[in-house]
mmCIF file with all atom_site columns, all heavy atoms in Angstrom:
data_model
loop_
_atom_site.group_PDB
_atom_site.id
_atom_site.type_symbol
_atom_site.label_atom_id
_atom_site.label_alt_id
_atom_site.label_comp_id
_atom_site.label_asym_id
_atom_site.label_entity_id
_atom_site.label_seq_id
_atom_site.pdbx_PDB_ins_code
_atom_site.Cartn_x
_atom_site.Cartn_y
_atom_site.Cartn_z
_atom_site.occupancy
_atom_site.B_iso_or_equiv
_atom_site.pdbx_formal_charge
_atom_site.auth_seq_id
_atom_site.auth_comp_id
_atom_site.auth_asym_id
_atom_site.auth_atom_id
_atom_site.pdbx_PDB_model_num
ATOM 1   N N   . ASN G 1 146 ? -7.489  15.023 -1.929 1.00 0.00 ? 146 ASN G N   1
ATOM 2   C CA  . ASN G 1 146 ? -6.127  15.451 -1.596 1.00 0.00 ? 146 ASN G CA  1
ATOM 3   C C   . ASN G 1 146 ? -6.099  16.717 -0.738 1.00 0.00 ? 146 ASN G C   1
ATOM 4   O O   . ASN G 1 146 ? -5.032  17.152 -0.302 1.00 0.00 ? 146 ASN G O   1
ATOM 5   C CB  . ASN G 1 146 ? -5.303  15.665 -2.867 1.00 0.00 ? 146 ASN G CB  1
ATOM 6   C CG  . ASN G 1 146 ? -5.808  16.825 -3.706 1.00 0.00 ? 146 ASN G CG  1
ATOM 7   O OD1 . ASN G 1 146 ? -7.008  17.110 -3.731 1.00 0.00 ? 146 ASN G OD1 1
ATOM 8   N ND2 . ASN G 1 146 ? -4.899  17.508 -4.381 1.00 0.00 ? 146 ASN G ND2 1
ATOM 9   N N   . GLU G 1 147 ? -7.281  17.304 -0.474 1.00 0.00 ? 147 GLU G N   1
ATOM 10  C CA  . GLU G 1 147 ? -7.363  18.484 0.385  1.00 0.00 ? 147 GLU G CA  1
ATOM 11  C C   . GLU G 1 147 ? -7.693  18.119 1.835  1.00 0.00 ? 147 GLU G C   1
ATOM 12  O O   . GLU G 1 147 ? -7.830  18.992 2.684  1.00 0.00 ? 147 GLU G O   1
ATOM 13  C CB  . GLU G 1 147 ? -8.434  19.444 -0.149 1.00 0.00 ? 147 GLU G CB  1
ATOM 14  C CG  . GLU G 1 147 ? -8.115  20.010 -1.525 1.00 0.00 ? 147 GLU G CG  1
ATOM 15  C CD  . GLU G 1 147 ? -9.238  20.861 -2.081 1.00 0.00 ? 147 GLU G CD  1
ATOM 16  O OE1 . GLU G 1 147 ? -10.420 20.467 -1.945 1.00 0.00 ? 147 GLU G OE1 1
ATOM 17  O OE2 . GLU G 1 147 ? -8.931  21.931 -2.663 1.00 0.00 ? 147 GLU G OE2 1
ATOM 18  N N   . ILE G 1 148 ? -7.808  16.812 2.102  1.00 0.00 ? 148 ILE G N   1
ATOM 19  C CA  . ILE G 1 148 ? -8.170  16.335 3.430  1.00 0.00 ? 148 ILE G CA  1
ATOM 20  C C   . ILE G 1 148 ? -7.071  15.409 3.956  1.00 0.00 ? 148 ILE G C   1
ATOM 21  O O   . ILE G 1 148 ? -6.631  14.496 3.256  1.00 0.00 ? 148 ILE G O   1
ATOM 22  C CB  . ILE G 1 148 ? -9.509  15.572 3.394  1.00 0.00 ? 148 ILE G CB  1
ATOM 23  C CG1 . ILE G 1 148 ? -10.615 16.477 2.858  1.00 0.00 ? 148 ILE G CG1 1
ATOM 24  C CG2 . ILE G 1 148 ? -9.868  15.059 4.795  1.00 0.00 ? 148 ILE G CG2 1
ATOM 25  C CD1 . ILE G 1 148 ? -11.935 15.764 2.633  1.00 0.00 ? 148 ILE G CD1 1
ATOM 26  N N   . LEU G 1 149 ? -6.656  15.650 5.185  1.00 0.00 ? 149 LEU G N   1
ATOM 27  C CA  . LEU G 1 149 ? -5.648  14.803 5.831  1.00 0.00 ? 149 LEU G CA  1
ATOM 28  C C   . LEU G 1 149 ? -6.317  13.977 6.922  1.00 0.00 ? 149 LEU G C   1
ATOM 29  O O   . LEU G 1 149 ? -7.057  14.507 7.751  1.00 0.00 ? 149 LEU G O   1
ATOM 30  C CB  . LEU G 1 149 ? -4.553  15.678 6.455  1.00 0.00 ? 149 LEU G CB  1
ATOM 31  C CG  . LEU G 1 149 ? -3.500  14.952 7.301  1.00 0.00 ? 149 LEU G CG  1
ATOM 32  C CD1 . LEU G 1 149 ? -2.697  13.980 6.439  1.00 0.00 ? 149 LEU G CD1 1
ATOM 33  C CD2 . LEU G 1 149 ? -2.581  15.967 7.983  1.00 0.00 ? 149 LEU G CD2 1
ATOM 34  N N   . TYR G 1 150 ? -6.057  12.666 6.914  1.00 0.00 ? 150 TYR G N   1
ATOM 35  C CA  . TYR G 1 150 ? -6.569  11.811 7.985  1.00 0.00 ? 150 TYR G CA  1
ATOM 36  C C   . TYR G 1 150 ? -5.429  11.474 8.929  1.00 0.00 ? 150 TYR G C   1
ATOM 37  O O   . TYR G 1 150 ? -4.365  11.026 8.498  1.00 0.00 ? 150 TYR G O   1
ATOM 38  C CB  . TYR G 1 150 ? -7.196  10.524 7.438  1.00 0.00 ? 150 TYR G CB  1
ATOM 39  C CG  . TYR G 1 150 ? -7.941  9.787  8.535  1.00 0.00 ? 150 TYR G CG  1
ATOM 40  C CD1 . TYR G 1 150 ? -9.246  10.122 8.850  1.00 0.00 ? 150 TYR G CD1 1
ATOM 41  C CD2 . TYR G 1 150 ? -7.304  8.826  9.297  1.00 0.00 ? 150 TYR G CD2 1
ATOM 42  C CE1 . TYR G 1 150 ? -9.915  9.491  9.892  1.00 0.00 ? 150 TYR G CE1 1
ATOM 43  C CE2 . TYR G 1 150 ? -7.956  8.193  10.338 1.00 0.00 ? 150 TYR G CE2 1
ATOM 44  C CZ  . TYR G 1 150 ? -9.264  8.527  10.636 1.00 0.00 ? 150 TYR G CZ  1
ATOM 45  O OH  . TYR G 1 150 ? -9.897  7.923  11.677 1.00 0.00 ? 150 TYR G OH  1
ATOM 46  N N   . VAL G 1 151 ? -5.668  11.672 10.220 1.00 0.00 ? 151 VAL G N   1
ATOM 47  C CA  . VAL G 1 151 ? -4.639  11.473 11.247 1.00 0.00 ? 151 VAL G CA  1
ATOM 48  C C   . VAL G 1 151 ? -5.073  10.354 12.190 1.00 0.00 ? 151 VAL G C   1
ATOM 49  O O   . VAL G 1 151 ? -6.176  10.401 12.755 1.00 0.00 ? 151 VAL G O   1
ATOM 50  C CB  . VAL G 1 151 ? -4.412  12.766 12.059 1.00 0.00 ? 151 VAL G CB  1
ATOM 51  C CG1 . VAL G 1 151 ? -3.302  12.556 13.094 1.00 0.00 ? 151 VAL G CG1 1
ATOM 52  C CG2 . VAL G 1 151 ? -4.069  13.925 11.133 1.00 0.00 ? 151 VAL G CG2 1
ATOM 53  N N   . GLY G 1 152 ? -4.217  9.363  12.369 1.00 0.00 ? 152 GLY G N   1
ATOM 54  C CA  . GLY G 1 152 ? -4.544  8.260  13.263 1.00 0.00 ? 152 GLY G CA  1
ATOM 55  C C   . GLY G 1 152 ? -3.301  7.578  13.793 1.00 0.00 ? 152 GLY G C   1
ATOM 56  O O   . GLY G 1 152 ? -2.173  7.985  13.479 1.00 0.00 ? 152 GLY G O   1
ATOM 57  N N   . ASP G 1 153 ? -3.500  6.532  14.589 1.00 0.00 ? 153 ASP G N   1
ATOM 58  C CA  . ASP G 1 153 ? -2.374  5.854  15.228 1.00 0.00 ? 153 ASP G CA  1
ATOM 59  C C   . ASP G 1 153 ? -2.282  4.374  14.860 1.00 0.00 ? 153 ASP G C   1
ATOM 60  O O   . ASP G 1 153 ? -1.399  3.675  15.364 1.00 0.00 ? 153 ASP G O   1
ATOM 61  C CB  . ASP G 1 153 ? -2.512  5.970  16.756 1.00 0.00 ? 153 ASP G CB  1
ATOM 62  C CG  . ASP G 1 153 ? -3.630  5.093  17.312 1.00 0.00 ? 153 ASP G CG  1
ATOM 63  O OD1 . ASP G 1 153 ? -4.772  5.206  16.830 1.00 0.00 ? 153 ASP G OD1 1
ATOM 64  O OD2 . ASP G 1 153 ? -3.360  4.279  18.214 1.00 0.00 ? 153 ASP G OD2 1
ATOM 65  N N   . TYR G 1 154 ? -3.183  3.909  13.984 1.00 0.00 ? 154 TYR G N   1
ATOM 66  C CA  . TYR G 1 154 ? -3.243  2.472  13.727 1.00 0.00 ? 154 TYR G CA  1
ATOM 67  C C   . TYR G 1 154 ? -3.368  2.204  12.238 1.00 0.00 ? 154 TYR G C   1
ATOM 68  O O   . TYR G 1 154 ? -3.732  3.093  11.446 1.00 0.00 ? 154 TYR G O   1
ATOM 69  C CB  . TYR G 1 154 ? -4.417  1.867  14.505 1.00 0.00 ? 154 TYR G CB  1
ATOM 70  C CG  . TYR G 1 154 ? -4.440  0.356  14.526 1.00 0.00 ? 154 TYR G CG  1
ATOM 71  C CD1 . TYR G 1 154 ? -3.369  -0.368 15.062 1.00 0.00 ? 154 TYR G CD1 1
ATOM 72  C CD2 . TYR G 1 154 ? -5.519  -0.352 14.004 1.00 0.00 ? 154 TYR G CD2 1
ATOM 73  C CE1 . TYR G 1 154 ? -3.383  -1.755 15.067 1.00 0.00 ? 154 TYR G CE1 1
ATOM 74  C CE2 . TYR G 1 154 ? -5.542  -1.742 14.021 1.00 0.00 ? 154 TYR G CE2 1
ATOM 75  C CZ  . TYR G 1 154 ? -4.470  -2.433 14.553 1.00 0.00 ? 154 TYR G CZ  1
ATOM 76  O OH  . TYR G 1 154 ? -4.477  -3.801 14.557 1.00 0.00 ? 154 TYR G OH  1
ATOM 77  N N   . PHE G 1 155 ? -3.104  0.960  11.850 1.00 0.00 ? 155 PHE G N   1
ATOM 78  C CA  . PHE G 1 155 ? -3.133  0.585  10.432 1.00 0.00 ? 155 PHE G CA  1
ATOM 79  C C   . PHE G 1 155 ? -4.514  0.799  9.817  1.00 0.00 ? 155 PHE G C   1
ATOM 80  O O   . PHE G 1 155 ? -4.621  1.192  8.649  1.00 0.00 ? 155 PHE G O   1
ATOM 81  C CB  . PHE G 1 155 ? -2.691  -0.866 10.263 1.00 0.00 ? 155 PHE G CB  1
ATOM 82  C CG  . PHE G 1 155 ? -2.511  -1.277 8.829  1.00 0.00 ? 155 PHE G CG  1
ATOM 83  C CD1 . PHE G 1 155 ? -1.716  -0.540 7.967  1.00 0.00 ? 155 PHE G CD1 1
ATOM 84  C CD2 . PHE G 1 155 ? -3.137  -2.411 8.338  1.00 0.00 ? 155 PHE G CD2 1
ATOM 85  C CE1 . PHE G 1 155 ? -1.547  -0.914 6.642  1.00 0.00 ? 155 PHE G CE1 1
ATOM 86  C CE2 . PHE G 1 155 ? -2.980  -2.803 7.015  1.00 0.00 ? 155 PHE G CE2 1
ATOM 87  C CZ  . PHE G 1 155 ? -2.180  -2.046 6.165  1.00 0.00 ? 155 PHE G CZ  1
ATOM 88  N N   . TYR G 1 156 ? -5.582  0.546  10.584 1.00 0.00 ? 156 TYR G N   1
ATOM 89  C CA  . TYR G 1 156 ? -6.935  0.781  10.061 1.00 0.00 ? 156 TYR G CA  1
ATOM 90  C C   . TYR G 1 156 ? -7.099  2.221  9.579  1.00 0.00 ? 156 TYR G C   1
ATOM 91  O O   . TYR G 1 156 ? -7.791  2.483  8.585  1.00 0.00 ? 156 TYR G O   1
ATOM 92  C CB  . TYR G 1 156 ? -7.992  0.519  11.134 1.00 0.00 ? 156 TYR G CB  1
ATOM 93  C CG  . TYR G 1 156 ? -8.265  -0.938 11.422 1.00 0.00 ? 156 TYR G CG  1
ATOM 94  C CD1 . TYR G 1 156 ? -8.779  -1.328 12.652 1.00 0.00 ? 156 TYR G CD1 1
ATOM 95  C CD2 . TYR G 1 156 ? -8.027  -1.927 10.480 1.00 0.00 ? 156 TYR G CD2 1
ATOM 96  C CE1 . TYR G 1 156 ? -9.044  -2.669 12.935 1.00 0.00 ? 156 TYR G CE1 1
ATOM 97  C CE2 . TYR G 1 156 ? -8.286  -3.260 10.750 1.00 0.00 ? 156 TYR G CE2 1
ATOM 98  C CZ  . TYR G 1 156 ? -8.787  -3.623 11.978 1.00 0.00 ? 156 TYR G CZ  1
ATOM 99  O OH  . TYR G 1 156 ? -9.050  -4.944 12.238 1.00 0.00 ? 156 TYR G OH  1
ATOM 100 N N   . ASP G 1 157 ? -6.488  3.159  10.295 1.00 0.00 ? 157 ASP G N   1
ATOM 101 C CA  . ASP G 1 157 ? -6.592  4.568  9.926  1.00 0.00 ? 157 ASP G CA  1
ATOM 102 C C   . ASP G 1 157 ? -5.918  4.830  8.580  1.00 0.00 ? 157 ASP G C   1
ATOM 103 O O   . ASP G 1 157 ? -6.457  5.536  7.723  1.00 0.00 ? 157 ASP G O   1
ATOM 104 C CB  . ASP G 1 157 ? -5.956  5.448  11.009 1.00 0.00 ? 157 ASP G CB  1
ATOM 105 C CG  . ASP G 1 157 ? -6.607  5.251  12.360 1.00 0.00 ? 157 ASP G CG  1
ATOM 106 O OD1 . ASP G 1 157 ? -7.846  5.287  12.430 1.00 0.00 ? 157 ASP G OD1 1
ATOM 107 O OD2 . ASP G 1 157 ? -5.876  5.057  13.350 1.00 0.00 ? 157 ASP G OD2 1
ATOM 108 N N   . LEU G 1 158 ? -4.750  4.253  8.413  1.00 0.00 ? 158 LEU G N   1
ATOM 109 C CA  . LEU G 1 158 ? -4.014  4.423  7.157  1.00 0.00 ? 158 LEU G CA  1
ATOM 110 C C   . LEU G 1 158 ? -4.759  3.752  6.004  1.00 0.00 ? 158 LEU G C   1
ATOM 111 O O   . LEU G 1 158 ? -4.808  4.295  4.888  1.00 0.00 ? 158 LEU G O   1
ATOM 112 C CB  . LEU G 1 158 ? -2.606  3.842  7.293  1.00 0.00 ? 158 LEU G CB  1
ATOM 113 C CG  . LEU G 1 158 ? -1.779  4.335  8.491  1.00 0.00 ? 158 LEU G CG  1
ATOM 114 C CD1 . LEU G 1 158 ? -0.374  3.741  8.433  1.00 0.00 ? 158 LEU G CD1 1
ATOM 115 C CD2 . LEU G 1 158 ? -1.736  5.842  8.541  1.00 0.00 ? 158 LEU G CD2 1
ATOM 116 N N   . GLN G 1 159 ? -5.339  2.585  6.280  1.00 0.00 ? 159 GLN G N   1
ATOM 117 C CA  . GLN G 1 159 ? -6.127  1.894  5.252  1.00 0.00 ? 159 GLN G CA  1
ATOM 118 C C   . GLN G 1 159 ? -7.344  2.711  4.845  1.00 0.00 ? 159 GLN G C   1
ATOM 119 O O   . GLN G 1 159 ? -7.664  2.823  3.655  1.00 0.00 ? 159 GLN G O   1
ATOM 120 C CB  . GLN G 1 159 ? -6.585  0.531  5.777  1.00 0.00 ? 159 GLN G CB  1
ATOM 121 C CG  . GLN G 1 159 ? -5.530  -0.549 5.787  1.00 0.00 ? 159 GLN G CG  1
ATOM 122 C CD  . GLN G 1 159 ? -6.114  -1.861 6.284  1.00 0.00 ? 159 GLN G CD  1
ATOM 123 O OE1 . GLN G 1 159 ? -6.675  -1.932 7.376  1.00 0.00 ? 159 GLN G OE1 1
ATOM 124 N NE2 . GLN G 1 159 ? -5.973  -2.908 5.484  1.00 0.00 ? 159 GLN G NE2 1
ATOM 125 N N   . ALA G 1 160 ? -8.035  3.270  5.831  1.00 0.00 ? 160 ALA G N   1
ATOM 126 C CA  . ALA G 1 160 ? -9.230  4.065  5.540  1.00 0.00 ? 160 ALA G CA  1
ATOM 127 C C   . ALA G 1 160 ? -8.877  5.264  4.679  1.00 0.00 ? 160 ALA G C   1
ATOM 128 O O   . ALA G 1 160 ? -9.580  5.576  3.702  1.00 0.00 ? 160 ALA G O   1
ATOM 129 C CB  . ALA G 1 160 ? -9.889  4.519  6.843  1.00 0.00 ? 160 ALA G CB  1
ATOM 130 N N   . ALA G 1 161 ? -7.790  5.944  5.030  1.00 0.00 ? 161 ALA G N   1
ATOM 131 C CA  . ALA G 1 161 ? -7.351  7.096  4.235  1.00 0.00 ? 161 ALA G CA  1
ATOM 132 C C   . ALA G 1 161 ? -6.994  6.665  2.816  1.00 0.00 ? 161 ALA G C   1
ATOM 133 O O   . ALA G 1 161 ? -7.401  7.316  1.839  1.00 0.00 ? 161 ALA G O   1
ATOM 134 C CB  . ALA G 1 161 ? -6.151  7.768  4.906  1.00 0.00 ? 161 ALA G CB  1
ATOM 135 N N   . TYR G 1 162 ? -6.262  5.571  2.699  1.00 0.00 ? 162 TYR G N   1
ATOM 136 C CA  . TYR G 1 162 ? -5.867  5.073  1.378  1.00 0.00 ? 162 TYR G CA  1
ATOM 137 C C   . TYR G 1 162 ? -7.101  4.702  0.546  1.00 0.00 ? 162 TYR G C   1
ATOM 138 O O   . TYR G 1 162 ? -7.187  5.040  -0.636 1.00 0.00 ? 162 TYR G O   1
ATOM 139 C CB  . TYR G 1 162 ? -4.958  3.858  1.539  1.00 0.00 ? 162 TYR G CB  1
ATOM 140 C CG  . TYR G 1 162 ? -4.526  3.251  0.222  1.00 0.00 ? 162 TYR G CG  1
ATOM 141 C CD1 . TYR G 1 162 ? -3.481  3.809  -0.503 1.00 0.00 ? 162 TYR G CD1 1
ATOM 142 C CD2 . TYR G 1 162 ? -5.174  2.128  -0.294 1.00 0.00 ? 162 TYR G CD2 1
ATOM 143 C CE1 . TYR G 1 162 ? -3.091  3.260  -1.720 1.00 0.00 ? 162 TYR G CE1 1
ATOM 144 C CE2 . TYR G 1 162 ? -4.790  1.576  -1.499 1.00 0.00 ? 162 TYR G CE2 1
ATOM 145 C CZ  . TYR G 1 162 ? -3.747  2.143  -2.215 1.00 0.00 ? 162 TYR G CZ  1
ATOM 146 O OH  . TYR G 1 162 ? -3.371  1.610  -3.418 1.00 0.00 ? 162 TYR G OH  1
ATOM 147 N N   . ASN G 1 163 ? -8.046  4.030  1.177  1.00 0.00 ? 163 ASN G N   1
ATOM 148 C CA  . ASN G 1 163 ? -9.264  3.620  0.464  1.00 0.00 ? 163 ASN G CA  1
ATOM 149 C C   . ASN G 1 163 ? -10.088 4.820  0.004  1.00 0.00 ? 163 ASN G C   1
ATOM 150 O O   . ASN G 1 163 ? -10.838 4.721  -0.977 1.00 0.00 ? 163 ASN G O   1
ATOM 151 C CB  . ASN G 1 163 ? -10.118 2.713  1.354  1.00 0.00 ? 163 ASN G CB  1
ATOM 152 C CG  . ASN G 1 163 ? -9.472  1.360  1.608  1.00 0.00 ? 163 ASN G CG  1
ATOM 153 O OD1 . ASN G 1 163 ? -8.595  0.931  0.845  1.00 0.00 ? 163 ASN G OD1 1
ATOM 154 N ND2 . ASN G 1 163 ? -9.881  0.689  2.674  1.00 0.00 ? 163 ASN G ND2 1
#
Side-chain angles (χ1 to χ4, degrees):
N146 66 328
E147 296 175 318
I148 301 173
L149 174 64
Y150 191 84
V151 182
D153 72 306
Y154 190 59
F155 188 52
Y156 284 156
D157 301 311
L158 307 184
Q159 283 182 304
Y162 179 81
N163 292 339

